[in-house]
Amino acid sequence: MTKQKQIDITEEILAQIEQVTSTTVLAEDIVVFEAAAFSTAALSKPGSIFHGARASRGLLEEMMNALNLNEQAIPIHTMHMQSIELPVGRAFHASIQDEPNGDATLVVMFYLPKDDPLVAKINLSVLDEVSVGVKPVSGLCSKCGFDYFGPDADFEHLYSQTCENDHVLGQDGTQNRKSVGRG
């Protein structure tokens, strides 16, 4: 018997979906999954200004509240093609899970139509990661607090990964310490 990654659909889950979509959805028509969408763990983006950056817990809370309090489901797209493709599913609820190592993870529930080919790929772990788009509002040098996205920053700071005080990200312990953003 194959273990399914999908979660059991409860009346509470159906009510959450109905609240954010204003649509009655039947359990037999959909499949619901949970995914770790974002975390406060250091990002692995070698060669990028974001390599080693950490999102703040506040950002995770903003993202959770945007989904849970705005009463609007967020469309799920493949390959970040939201302006080209139609949504394949909807994210409808989020929570924050505290990890044993001190990090926090934004856990998002989403649903897909039961007959979508993505369901089998997710259950078989062919697809097992998600990605989110977040626009930075700040990125601070860990040594001096220079904001790579602030008014004193320009393209050269981003390109060279060097702040106005000549601290280079990734060298001598310098990090982009608190990169936070809006989704």
Side-chain angles (χ1 to χ4, degrees):
M1 184 164 159
T2 304
K3 182 180 176 191
Q4 303 291 300
K5 289 187 168 193
Q6 61 207 48
I7 62 173
D8 292 332
I9 300 172
T10 64
E11 289 300 318
E12 180 183 3
I13 287 173
L14 289 172
Q16 289 170 338
I17 293 170
E18 188 170 325
Q19 178 183 349
V20 297
T21 64
S22 300
T23 303
T24 300
V25 177
L26 302 176
E28 57 265 19
D29 293 336
I30 62 170
V31 177
V32 175
F33 295 98
E34 278 187 325
F38 206 38
S39 168
T40 59
L43 297 174
S44 177
K45 294 280 191 182
S48 161
I49 193 166
F50 297 109
H51 186 65
R54 292 177 174 268
S56 68
R57 183 182 181 93
L59 173 59
L60 300 186
E61 290 169 357
E62 280 186 60
M63 294 171 78
M64 177 183 71
N65 290 335
L67 185 57
N68 294 345
L69 300 178
N70 288 343
E71 300 182 349
Q72 179 180 348
I74 296 175
I76 302 289
H77 295 274
T78 60
M79 304 303 295
H80 296 276
M81 296 183 166
Q82 65 254 34
S83 63
I84 299 171
E85 76 172 353
L86 294 173
V88 296
R90 293 260 176 207
F92 63 90
H93 183 75
S95 61
I96 295 176
Q97 178 179 321
D98 291 315
E99 304 297 341
N101 67 0
D103 286 328
T105 300
L106 179 70
V107 178
V108 175
M109 295 175 76
F110 67 97
Y111 71 94
L112 302 171
K114 190 174 212 158
D115 60 353
D116 192 304
L118 292 174
V119 171
K121 290 180 178 184
I122 294 169
N123 278 327
L124 293 170
S125 292
V126 172
L127 298 174
D128 68 350
E129 294 180 356
V130 299
S131 177
V132 297
V134 178
K135 180 182 176 188
V137 294
S138 69
L140 308 177
C141 172
S142 64
K143 289 195 171 177
C144 67
F146 175 78
D147 187 352
Y148 283 89
F149 299 101
D152 296 330
D154 59 28
F155 177 76
E156 185 58 34
H157 292 112
L158 293 173
Y159 181 74
S160 69
Q161 299 183 25
T162 305
C163 74
E164 66 184 1
N165 295 309
D166 293 324
H167 302 129
V168 180
L169 293 177
Q171 293 182 8
D172 300 320
T174 304
Q175 304 171 33
N176 180 353
R177 204 168 84 192
K178 295 220 177 188
S179 183
V180 298
R182 305 224 186 279

